[in-house]
Amino acid sequence: MIGSGLAGGLLAAYLGRQGYDVDLYERRADPREGNIVGGRSINLAISTRGIHALERIGIADEALQHAIPMRGRMIHDKSGVLHFSPYDVDPQKCINSIGRAALNTTVIEAAQRYPNVRVHFNHKCVDVDLDTPTVQLETEHGQLAVRSDAVIGVDGAFSAVRKSMQQKIGNFQYDESYLPHGYKELTIPPGPDGSWCMEKNALHIWPRKSFMMIALPNPDGSFTCTLFWEFEGARSFVTTKTDEDVRQFFEEEFPDAVPLMPTLLEDFRHNPTGSLVTIRCAPWFYGDKVCLLGDAAHAVVPFYGQGMNAAFEDCVVMDECLERFPNNRERAFAEYFSRRKENADALAALAIGNFIEMRDKTASKTFRAKKKLDHLLEAALPGIYLPLYTMVTFTRLPYAVAARRARVQDLLVYVSLIGIVAVLVGTTVWFVGR
Ligand SMILES: Cc1cc2nc3c(=O)[nH]c(=O)nc-3n(C[C@H](O)[C@H](O)[C@H](O)COP(=O)(O)OP(=O)(O)OC[C@H]3O[C@@H](n4cnc5c(N)ncnc54)[C@H](O)[C@@H]3O)c2cc1C
């Protein structure tokens, strides 16, 4: 396996349990040595799909012990007024803010409990010969070629394994599309007594139409804020060069956050600006020799908080397929691909759609009314009406099924509303006419 990120560690644990002999090669140093994922999000939201995947191997409690439940969105408008919008009609349903480094360590340690799993840090994959299959690795001591029965690429959005497939499989389909927005992480430190300076159990959003900032709580009392903003344009990352530009932008757009961000200028200057990419490719496997999983197969933008959850769900499906076809790996890979591809594509579209919802619509009264209506219908029609966010976040319904079901529900709600309005207008006209 290539890549001991979130999905790599978890899949290695599943494969170790099934008795496979696994060598997991990771280009970075051991995250336990504190050298973690520079430039990626410090914390993430984990929900039902991800938790289920951790439960499957008995590490959910361990992973979630320091996670912070977030029960809804806390919307900050420009005047500092707050609106809380719960994620679900059931207050127990929440998403959880979890540290990437701690979760990564938990899954790697789960894999290392199996003596047949070996993790090799500081090994960077530079090429894969698909037919043999042989992986070329760069290490501190020079190049190394490792031959194996199969190679699984869990090496993230800029996967070297996928690149080899792209170069060597004639009809490999590949599409990458970047948003015009980038992201930058900033910090709200803990208060003087180590407590949280804003509501702890919420995902904070400052929606500003074409851009937004969000903040997720950390166990040490801090919040990690992420600014999603255009790379280019009149007001953008490119044009905001000086400390004064940054201060002015934040004071205009996020005035209630500024007093809570004493290191804003340093953070803005020093933290990298990441890009946001959607990657679609096919096929995800090459015979019984090579397979892709997680972001390597389907990177999505982070606005549904589902990239890792989906990568963990891939691990579950791969585990099931290998269990089902223990003597036919090609069939297992093919089955895994056919079960996941449509869902990964559906999630990619949902994630882009949710950016528009978060940065623009959450600020509007109509959005809040629609959420209330959603929750009303969910309570009135239990098990029949499920809001899209609920299906994606709090169930394990395949993403494509959730998206289709939401479209039908929306159509029925709009038709019913039009019907009700028509009846009301008709009745009024009839009364007035009498
Ligand atoms: C800003 C941001 C916020 C996010 N928020 C959320 C969220 O709230 N909820 C959620 O579910 N998802 C979220 N995601 C998505 C989530 O981070 C990814 O979907 C998830 O990390 C995918 O896991 P992975 O194991 O496939 O890839 P990764 O976690 O990227 O791991 C890939 C691993 O492979 C290693 N690697 C890469 N290349 C090589 C190579 N050539 N040789 C050897 N090793 C290599 C890397 O070092 C890394 O350790 C967010 C993403 C971003 C960018």
Side-chain angles (χ1 to χ4, degrees):
M1 290 180 54
I2 306 298
S4 74
L6 299 175
L10 184 66
L11 184 67
Y14 286 171
L15 296 185
R17 183 171 61 176
Q18 283 205 34
Y20 286 94
D21 224 1
V22 180
D23 282 284
L24 177 52
Y25 294 98
E26 165 61 44
R27 76 171 172 194
R28 293 176 193 270
D30 189 332
R32 287 160 293 192
E33 289 162 14
N35 197 353
I36 184 84
V37 265
R40 301 295 300 279
S41 62
I42 290 164
N43 53 21
L44 310 104
I46 187 166
S47 47
T48 298
R49 294 167 203 266
I51 295 171
H52 166 77
L54 296 173
E55 276 167 351
R56 190 174 165 87
I57 195 132
I59 56 171
D61 290 342
E62 184 185 339
L64 288 170
Q65 60 181 329
H66 300 300
I68 300 178
M70 299 180 288
R71 303 193 194 291
R73 309 169 184 87
M74 185 66 83
I75 313 295
H76 297 237
D77 75 15
K78 266 196 184 185
S79 57
V81 173
L82 303 178
H83 302 275
F84 181 72
S85 167
Y87 280 126
D88 197 80
V89 64
D90 174 357
Q92 296 309 314
K93 287 200 180 134
C94 50
I95 58 176
N96 303 277
S97 174
I98 194 166
R100 187 185 283 270
L103 181 58
N104 205 168
T105 298
T106 305
V107 290
I108 290 173
E109 286 178 349
Q112 287 179 322
R113 279 177 207 142
Y114 297 93
N116 45 323
V117 177
R118 294 160 295 273
V119 187
H120 313 267
F121 295 101
N122 300 309
H123 282 65
K124 179 183 177 191
C125 169
V126 287
D127 190 37
V128 183
D129 180 281
L130 306 185
D131 289 305
T132 38
T134 305
V135 179
Q136 294 294 333
L137 297 157
E138 265 176 19
T139 75
E140 298 156 325
H141 312 293
Q143 290 255 350
L144 178 73
V146 178
R147 194 170 170 158
S148 153
D149 292 332
V151 174
I152 304 189
V154 204
D155 49 345
F158 303 99
S159 164
V161 179
R162 188 186 64 230
K163 197 166 165 208
S164 293
M165 291 171 76
Q166 217 178 325
Q167 285 163 351
K168 291 161 199 170
I169 302 176
N171 56 352
F172 191 79
Q173 294 166 31
Y174 181 73
D175 177 66
E176 63 177 25
S177 61
Y178 284 86
L179 285 188
H181 297 70
Y183 70 93
K184 193 182 278 291
E185 291 198 330
L186 306 161
T187 308
I188 293 182
D193 55 350
S195 63
W196 290 266
C197 300
M198 305 186 292
E199 167 59 48
K200 170 189 171 192
N201 297 113
L203 188 152
H204 294 260
I205 311 179
W206 290 257
R208 297 294 181 263
K209 292 217 179 286
S210 72
F211 61 92
M212 68 172 176
M213 184 165 80
I214 65 168
L216 271 70
N218 295 313
D220 66 355
S222 66
F223 286 84
T224 303
C225 305
T226 312
L227 170 67
F228 296 97
W229 198 18
E230 286 95 337
F231 275 114
E232 290 175 8
R235 263 199 337 169
S236 63
F237 279 119
V238 167
T239 55
T240 307
K241 293 204 174 82
T242 64
D243 283 357
E244 196 38 48
D245 293 342
V246 176
R247 199 195 325 268
Q248 197 183 338
F249 170 64
F250 272 77
E251 276 170 0
E252 269 172 33
E253 298 296 342
F254 315 116
D256 62 333
V258 173
L260 309 178
M261 302 173 88
T263 55
L264 168 64
L265 300 179
E266 290 94 302
D267 289 351
F268 198 93
R269 234 182 288 128
H270 294 129
N271 294 351
T273 309
S275 53
L276 297 163
V277 67
T278 302
I279 288 171
R280 297 179 183 84
C281 68
W284 295 353
F285 68 106
Y286 178 74
D288 65 348
K289 305 273 193 264
V290 183
C291 198
L292 299 173
L293 192 137
D295 275 15
H298 51 75
V300 298
V301 293
F303 305 108
Y304 232 112
Q306 284 293 313
M308 165 195 58
N309 286 283
F312 279 3
E313 202 167 51
D314 285 353
C315 298
V316 171
V317 174
M318 176 67 92
D319 195 33
E320 288 172 356
C321 293
L322 287 168
E323 249 167 21
R324 186 154 169 228
F325 304 108
N327 302 316
N328 189 343
R329 201 168 45 239
E330 181 166 0
R331 190 130 182 237
F333 286 171
E335 170 90 1
Y336 150 77
F337 173 60
S338 81
R339 280 177 61 185
R340 294 304 289 159
K341 174 64 176 155
E342 182 196 22
N343 293 309
D345 288 345
L347 175 60
L350 289 172
I352 290 171
N354 215 44
F355 184 29
I356 301 163
E357 176 160 318
M358 284 177 86
R359 70 173 202 223
D360 188 356
K361 296 189 186 157
T362 49
S364 82
K365 288 197 176 115
T366 322
F367 171 84
R368 292 202 284 274
K370 165 82 168 72
K371 287 287 158 204
K372 279 192 185 135
L373 178 66
D374 267 349
H375 293 168
L376 235 117
L377 290 170
E378 190 185 357
L381 305 166
I384 299 171
Y385 185 91
L386 280 175
L388 176 59
Y389 189 86
T390 300
M391 287 191 274
V392 169
T393 310
F394 301 124
T395 77
R396 292 193 294 118
L397 276 177
Y399 292 116
V401 173
R404 277 197 293 273
R405 191 166 154 180
R407 279 195 293 274
V408 173
Q409 287 180 171
D410 278 353
L411 191 71
L412 290 176
V413 169
Y414 289 131
V415 168
S416 311
L417 284 177
I418 290 169
I420 292 167
V421 170
V423 169
L424 286 176
V425 171
T427 317
T428 314
V429 169
W430 185 76
F431 268 116
V432 172
R434 279 180 70 196

